[in-house]
Amino acid sequence: MKAKVHVMLKNGVLDPQGEAIRHALGSLGFDGVNGVRQGKVIELDLADGTDEATINQMCDKLLANTVIESYRVEVL
Amino acid sequence: MKAAVIVFPGSNCDRDMAVALKAAGADVTMVWHKDSALPDVDLVAVPGGFSFGDYLRCGAIAAQSPICKALISHVERGGYALGVCNGFQVLTETGLLPGALMRNAALKFVCKTSPLTVETSQSAFTEGYNAGDIVHFPIAHHDGNYTADAATLDALKGEDRIAFTYGDNPNGSVDDIAGVLSENRRVLGMMPHPERAVDAGHGGTDGQALFRGLIGQFVQA
């Protein structure tokens, strides 16, 4: 089985990289980009039957730093 | 005083840290990240560098290494720990210090000497200074933008746990925070490098008081 983990900075945590991307889009002529948030996607190839609670533990312990990041698990 | 310096793949300030500790009178042992036990030491130093290539997040992989489990036990037993630069990132990733270090606000690697204010002399690390002293330590990092939630910041301020602040906030850190102490004041994490300011050849010796003060505690005891 496969799962995707989406890791994003929490709302309210300033994202300097997202801001830089927003400025770059503006300078390319794309108007109306009001905000950009950059995150990461981690693809996991897991033993069949791995439960979501285990994947959440992986996220809490390593894949996300929950002080500043939130995550969403998508089982494929 | 006995100290251990942890070496991760990608550490590059481990030798500087050992030299600074030895110059101040400590007996220093280097320990490898795969070691699962620490020697009998008073202080564990987590040096700067780019442990594990900064993969995933700075310090995140190092924080899961066998030696960091031993580090956590050492701190839980009341042992001292000093994390500088990548070492500070490792200490926040282990949860031994609150908050997190994010990408610098200007997105650039910053390498220069930064003026810092000593915010408290109430710790083994800072008792060699007076609160309000200005010291100059080199900084060299890409991810030193300290952040913590409002409740954590209130606790840090209320408990006098902010050790150093930047005079020139080079990275966007909240409230100019450059270094913080643990609740028991025995763990210090900071982005600037005191170990790079302990010899006249470094261009400054403001860091000597940190190492001498720390080691002096054990000489008296």
Side-chain angles (χ1 to χ4, degrees), chain A residues 7 9 13-17 20 40 42 61-65 67-69, chain B residues 56-57 60-61 64 93 99-107 145 147-148:
Chain A
V7 180
L9 285 173
V13 176
L14 195 71
D15 177 6
Q17 295 180 97
K40 57 187 127 185
I42 300 167
K61 287 190 174 171
L62 181 64
L63 301 180
N65 177 345
V67 173
I68 47 171
E69 294 170 330
Chain B
L56 187 62
R57 290 179 309 277
I61 309 286
Q64 305 303 324
E93 284 283 346
L101 283 314
M102 294 182 35
R103 180 54 46 103
N104 292 346
L107 303 178
N145 182 352
T147 187

Side-chain angles (χ1 to χ4, degrees), chain B residues 82-164:
Chain B
L82 168 65
V84 170
C85 200
N86 188 221
F88 185 15
Q89 295 162 341
V90 172
L91 291 179
T92 59
E93 284 283 346
T94 57
L96 290 173
L97 287 173
L101 283 314
M102 294 182 35
R103 180 54 46 103
N104 292 346
L107 303 178
K108 288 201 165 57
F109 189 95
V110 186
C111 183
K112 61 177 199 161
T113 296
S114 205
L116 307 170
T117 303
V118 180
E119 293 292 333
T120 178
S121 60
Q122 301 299 309
S123 78
F125 305 94
T126 55
E127 62 139 36
Y129 304 98
N130 294 313
D133 279 357
I134 307 289
V135 294
H136 292 82
F137 292 165
I139 57 167
H141 59 250
H142 207 159
D143 298 80
N145 182 352
Y146 185 78
T147 187
D149 61 28
T152 304
L153 289 172
D154 284 346
L156 289 175
K157 287 176 199 163
E159 296 163 13
D160 190 31
R161 287 168 52 196
I162 299 172
F164 296 97

Side-chain angles (χ1 to χ4, degrees), chain B:
Chain B
M1 185 236 212
K2 290 181 183 155
V5 177
I6 299 179
V7 185
F8 299 105
S11 292
N12 63 10
C13 302
D14 43 326
R15 187 181 164 276
D16 291 4
M17 181 65 84
V19 168
L21 287 164
K22 280 180 196 164
D27 187 3
V28 181
T29 310
M30 309 303 279
V31 293
W32 183 232
H33 71 110
K34 284 186 176 168
D35 295 350
S36 52
L38 283 160
D40 179 26
V41 292
D42 307 298
L43 169 79
V44 178
V46 192
F50 301 86
S51 59
F52 297 91
D54 282 348
Y55 290 176
L56 187 62
R57 290 179 309 277
C58 301
I61 309 286
Q64 305 303 324
S65 62
I67 199 67
C68 279
K69 292 193 175 65
L71 168 64
I72 292 166
S73 311
H74 164 83
V75 169
E76 284 171 350
R77 286 194 306 268
Y80 287 83
L82 168 65
V84 170
C85 200
N86 188 221
F88 185 15
Q89 295 162 341
V90 172
L91 291 179
T92 59
E93 284 283 346
T94 57
L96 290 173
L97 287 173
L101 283 314
M102 294 182 35
R103 180 54 46 103
N104 292 346
L107 303 178
K108 288 201 165 57
F109 189 95
V110 186
C111 183
K112 61 177 199 161
T113 296
S114 205
L116 307 170
T117 303
V118 180
E119 293 292 333
T120 178
S121 60
Q122 301 299 309
S123 78
F125 305 94
T126 55
E127 62 139 36
Y129 304 98
N130 294 313
D133 279 357
I134 307 289
V135 294
H136 292 82
F137 292 165
I139 57 167
H141 59 250
H142 207 159
D143 298 80
N145 182 352
Y146 185 78
T147 187
D149 61 28
T152 304
L153 289 172
D154 284 346
L156 289 175
K157 287 176 199 163
E159 296 163 13
D160 190 31
R161 287 168 52 196
I162 299 172
F164 296 97
T165 53
Y166 297 106
D168 62 349
N169 199 336
N171 52 29
S173 290
V174 63
D175 294 337
D176 303 327
I177 292 172
V180 297
L181 291 159
S182 62
E183 217 172 323
N184 72 359
R185 315 186 80 74
R186 291 186 172 193
V187 182
L188 170 68
M190 60 191 296
M191 290 311 294
H193 289 271
E195 81 282 10
R196 292 190 196 173
V198 295
D199 186 287
H202 289 155
T205 55
D206 286 354
Q208 279 179 353
L210 187 149
F211 293 100
R212 287 180 182 169
L214 181 58
I215 286 151
Q217 296 267 316
F218 291 88
V219 176
Q220 289 157 20

